[in-house]
Amino acid sequence: MLRNRTAIPQVPLEKETAVVHKPLAHDSARLHVSGAATYIDDIREPAGTLHIAIGLADKAAGTLRGMTLDAVRAAKGVVAVLTAADIPGKNDIAPAFADEPLFADKEILFHNQAIFAVVARSRDEARRAARLAKIDIDEAKPAITVADALETGARVLPDYEFGRGDAPAALGRAPRRLEGLLHIGGQEHFYLEGQAAFAIPGEGREMLVHSSTQDPTEVQHIVARILAIPDAFVTVETRRMGGAFGGKESQACAWAAIAALAALVTGKPCKVRLDRDDDFALTGKRHDFRADWRVGYDDKGIVSAYDVMLNARCGCSADLSPGVVDRAMFHAANAYWLPDVKVASRRLKTNTVSNTAFRGFGGPQGMLAIERVMDAIAHERGLDPLDVRKANFYRPGGDKTPFGQTVEDMTTLPSMIEELELSSDYRARRRAIEAFNANSPYIKRGIALTPVKFGISFTLIHLNQAGALVHVYTDGSIHLNHGGTEMGQGLFTKVAQVVAEEFGVPIDFVRITATNTAKVPNASPTAASSGSDINGMAAQIGARQIKQRMVEFACAQWGVTAEEIVFRDGLVLIGNKSMSFGELAKTCRLNRVQLSAAGFYKTPVITWDRATATGRPFLYFAFGASCSEVVIDTLTGEMKVERVDILHDVGSSLNPALDIGQVEGGFVQGMGWLTTEELVFDAKGRLSTHAPATYKIPVASDVPADFRTKLHMRPNIADTIYRSKAVGEPPLMLPISVYCAILDAVHAIRPGSQPRLEAPCTPEAILNAIQSIQTH
Amino acid sequence: MTDPHKEPRKSLNFRFRGADVALNGFAPRATLLDWLREEAGATGTKEGCGEGDCGACTIVLARNRDGALTHEAANACVLLLGQVDGAEVLTVEDLAEGANLHPVQQAMVDQHGSQCGFCTPGIVMSLFALYHRGEPATRASICDQLAGNLCRCTGYRPIVDAALETCLGEPADRFAIHAEARAEALAAIADEKDLFVGDDSAFFAAPASERSLAELCDRHKDAVLLGGATDVGLWITKMLRDPRKIIWLGRVAGLDRMETVAEGLDIYATTSLQRAMPRLAELHPDLGEIMRRFGSAQVRVAGTVGGNIANGSPIGDLPPALIALGASVELRHGEASRVLPLEQFFIAYGKQDRQPGEYVRRIHAPRLKANQHYRAFKVSKRFDEDISAVMSGFRFTLEGRRVIEARIAYGGMAATPKRASGAEKALVGADLDNPTSWSAAIAAIATDYSPLTDMRATSAYRSRVAANLLMKALLEVAGGHSATRIGGLHAAE
């Protein structure tokens, strides 16, 4: 039996560290495995806690004429029924554009939109009561698909484009041209812990909200806006989420606001935990796209012009779509030099739930399109797709992205591709696959090796800031808090490693505490892969302030120089004196030295002027490469991923064990997006894949039996925390090689053809692709 | 209630946290998960979906069975509380002993097998069940055990490695060490009495004999007959139905068994899908593979063969496979019983040939004759733990290389599991060595069925695949050197 024991590698170091760069376990691992980690629904309920269920619109579009809620109010256990009329503040949960209400009050925006909430003594009673409402909606014809929206012309935001040169003219001059449409499906986050919030009213309109959110600060703002109270009256706390993946950024606000509203109205602690089906219906997903592309190239497959229109289905409101679609555009070139290029976008409005952040934030869709194009060129030219990719990489004289940022590190990715090509035995396996396919009429194999280049930094520049709060107590224990949230990625562990390293103490000296808007205010969402980059820096800055004060005190107290003081293994060596870290802390207190500090960090260098499409939006790029081999059944369209080799760039990893987890987990999640995970909306705008019975994320057997993950660890050229690199989102794009390998297998049926393979590659999509190239 | 000499037991009895629990008042539709989280305050077990698909609520039920203490993973969210009668309920909180983690928990920590941690308690319990199977785990057996445990963070690799590291054979944890005492404690609460909690207007009943069952069915023709609750559970958690009278078949003596008879295999109604799997695999390996892909380990342990038939779903996996095999079903009403060819049981969507008071008692699956060839294929978006878009079963009877009879049945193609009568006729006389002689039958699929479009597949895809599956079955039976499958038998090397 082959054991896929992925070895946790050692980080190659110039300078030895004690805690940072070590493969420590997730700080909550022991709690997780014993069922002792507390999620929102596990918080012990104060007596009298009430429970909430949401009342849903049964139409996707139209006007709300009225509702009869008498039966709901009269139902067993019901304490209150809340509608838009009960909101003391503004009925608006939108992050920026005031285009999404908490409860529909006039226009119905999407099927199953929230219209009211029931507050009852038990969750079961609340759910049953919610179904007794009579909702009267004057139904209008909904726009559901990309095509519908293109027909209505509705947008959530204006179209936007950038580029270089004159792509249409360059296409006209190109020796060879291809064009196509690629449908790219959306994706449900399917965090295992559904949306949940628990609001506890305090004195004088204060409100404490436990929220499963990536963005406690935004939740605080929305709760304050709904309740019409100052931000300072609202405290939002998040210890951990049971998964988020972007789905608990803006999408966590509504439930926190409803819980807080219920708590305000009833004066009781109120909890909402969405049923899974409601969660599917009520929360946004990854945007589905239609990429309309044209490419010009020469006989060697070298691209001279690329013109792509990214039609993004944003759903009923803007939400985070401005950033998502911009990021799709930023990644439309992936790793390739495209001399004349036009990247355009439409932010389409439909009567569907508002699409939102999801790991990669649009980048995956932009990237998939150009990788599809590379295969199209290779197929037309009869070249190995890997050679076409390599021929188009950024290169001296061709080192600028379509948005004008210079790719400073041009060597890392090509060297990783070379390494993976060898270690995966790509060339020999391609030959073996060709030989197999020649003799196998029904079963075909395919292989692909694809690159990832992902820009790191929030493209909304002001979000690139972070705060941390560090206290040292007199026993030497350290209380750590920062604005980042823990959703499973191991952020808390990484930041604690940074702080422990700074004070020269073992990791268990550092007590990691729940993210709380009262401790670190005005934080950015934990998103854009930025968590450890910015919070790690902020915590290090905070810890260094305290350490500096301790050192200064020790110098004065014991007459030594700062160079003579070493913090190591929980001890402080002061000249020839040694004391425990706690003893020094205690002595500091007795001498009135402040042992608490707030750290603050803002990412340097980056700029972006959207109006002129100029600047440098990314501090650096994270790279990756993967090689996937698949087998397909041409009679049914069924597919299996047989082997995957990954080489992923994490800089000088803060924690190689956690990074391997992000890489493997991201790969499998992205593989699900491109294969089994299909969102189906019917003509009335109803999501018919609204539960795990119908929406299929990967299970253990979908993971390739031969799965080889390696980290590429060279210090980041940018000055990041310990020269590490962000790792949250980039691996999600590695399984584009799975899509391309499926395309390769289909293409093997009729070499030289251009199959139309849509994503996700369900058995039906694969059979359709096969049908698209069959001649009869 | 039934036997004047044997009063029914009025309390639900089970073991929890090392003690006996007796409950004499609970809502008939109460689930084990709600009891755990809301009554017992045991929040380690999570609700992820409320429909038995994600496994976050996985717990382990230990029972005495055939002289051994068995440990089976089950979904607490769609397990009715009454179904734990006579069992020991083990949850994630039971595993560690003070600061000492259980070996599967320790391996999950060592392998970095948790990230967000929300699926972890369920995964730990599935691995605990695997650990107690007492066989060295393989990648395949681990993936089968975990098919009903969704993890969105890790990509499963470290979890599989944790299982490979710990599930090595004979269990040696404290549960194994104390197995005898635990078995005795279970024996002490076991009885052969009928269970009846509630009153005639609302009750959870678990008759212990067919006689009691027949009487209850007669007296309460409006009662819900409960097999494993893998579907009825969803009526409660998702449709919010409020069944007030529930008759659980799980304690009826004699209904949980299989018998090899001269012509094949008799499977009695409450035999779990898990237990039926190896016996059906003996009839044909494709049946074994269909069963392996049936739901998940948790669903197969709870779900029953009789329930899968009686439920009448057009997308149940077993009916098409068994219809093609030529299976029959026995229905019982009191002392009277009747036997139907299985296909005749399914009348229309949601309508089966089952009279009030009648229950599905037994399925008979005939053995293949020497000149009969069988194939069954399931097509779904995901291989494991998915509902089929198209399910198919084929039995060809040959004379030499010529087909003299064909039984072809599909699921997902009509409102009921249905035979392809046109294709069956057209195939008679076809020559295995002459593929053009198959084409009339393959083409007939298009007229035999008018499938629907839904979230699993379009009508066009279903029709095309159904025809292709018939071709695949014929290709395989005809023999030849080309690979026809991407996994398992006939796979590409």
Side-chain angles (χ1 to χ4, degrees), chain A residues 31-111:
Chain A
L31 298 177
H32 292 155
V33 300
S34 357
T38 303
Y39 302 82
I40 300 294
D41 197 38
D42 306 333
I43 296 171
R44 194 159 295 160
E45 295 171 8
T49 294
L50 301 173
H51 300 265
I52 300 168
I54 315 294
L56 313 172
D58 60 355
K59 305 283 186 297
T63 309
L64 180 62
R65 275 195 295 232
M67 52 188 145
T68 313
L69 301 172
D70 299 347
V72 183
R73 290 201 168 86
K76 185 167 165 265
V78 171
V79 175
V81 179
L82 308 171
T83 67
D86 297 297
I87 297 172
K90 211 169 154 219
N91 183 15
D92 169 26
I93 55 166
F97 296 93
D99 57 355
E100 200 174 342
L102 179 62
F103 295 123
D105 54 359
K106 285 194 297 285
E107 191 191 354
I108 298 299
L109 299 178
F110 65 96
H111 181 253

Side-chain angles (χ1 to χ4, degrees), chain A residues 678 764, chain B residues 381 389-390 452-459 461-462:
Chain A
E678 185 178 28
E764 178 156 3
Chain B
K381 282 185 199 171
V390 176
L452 292 176
T453 291
D454 67 10
M455 76 296 271
R456 295 195 176 87
T458 63
S459 168
Y461 174 76
R462 286 190 159 106

Side-chain angles (χ1 to χ4, degrees), chain A residues 224-370:
Chain A
R225 188 194 291 167
I226 293 288
L227 300 190
I229 55 177
D231 288 350
F233 283 39
V234 181
T235 301
V236 177
E237 179 160 304
T238 304
R239 173 56 185 88
R240 64 170 61 79
M241 286 161 272
F245 316 112
K248 292 176 179 171
E249 199 177 331
S250 62
Q251 302 298 298
C253 293
W255 328 114
I258 289 173
L261 178 62
L264 183 78
V265 168
T266 64
K268 298 278 175 56
C270 289
K271 180 158 75 175
V272 59
R273 171 171 68 81
L274 295 187
D275 176 68
R276 178 62 65 178
D277 293 60
D278 292 349
D279 195 308
F280 263 84
L282 282 163
T283 64
K285 309 181 188 316
R286 185 186 297 286
H287 293 59
D288 50 320
F289 274 57
R290 195 188 79 193
D292 306 352
W293 56 267
R294 294 191 294 163
V295 67
Y297 56 99
D298 67 13
D299 290 352
K300 290 178 180 150
I302 294 171
V303 173
S304 54
Y306 182 51
D307 178 356
V308 66
M309 170 60 79
L310 298 170
N311 298 286
R313 191 175 70 141
C314 299
C316 67
S317 71
D319 186 68
L320 304 173
S321 291
V324 170
V325 184
D326 284 3
R327 189 168 277 268
M329 297 170 68
F330 286 127
H331 290 81
N334 195 18
Y336 308 111
W337 164 239
L338 307 173
D340 283 85
V341 57
K342 182 173 137 192
V343 180
S345 66
R346 298 185 182 119
R347 292 118 207 272
L348 305 174
K349 183 173 183 175
T350 52
N351 297 102
T352 50
V353 65
S354 193
N355 284 328
T356 194
F358 194 145
R359 200 176 195 172
F361 209 67
Q365 294 95 319
M367 202 180 284
L368 180 64
I370 188 70

Side-chain angles (χ1 to χ4, degrees), chain B residues 270-288:
Chain B
T270 67
T271 305
S272 73
L273 297 160
Q274 184 71 28
R275 281 161 60 79
M277 179 158 70
R279 300 292 288 276
L280 284 167
E282 286 168 13
L283 291 180
H284 193 274
D286 277 3
L287 276 174

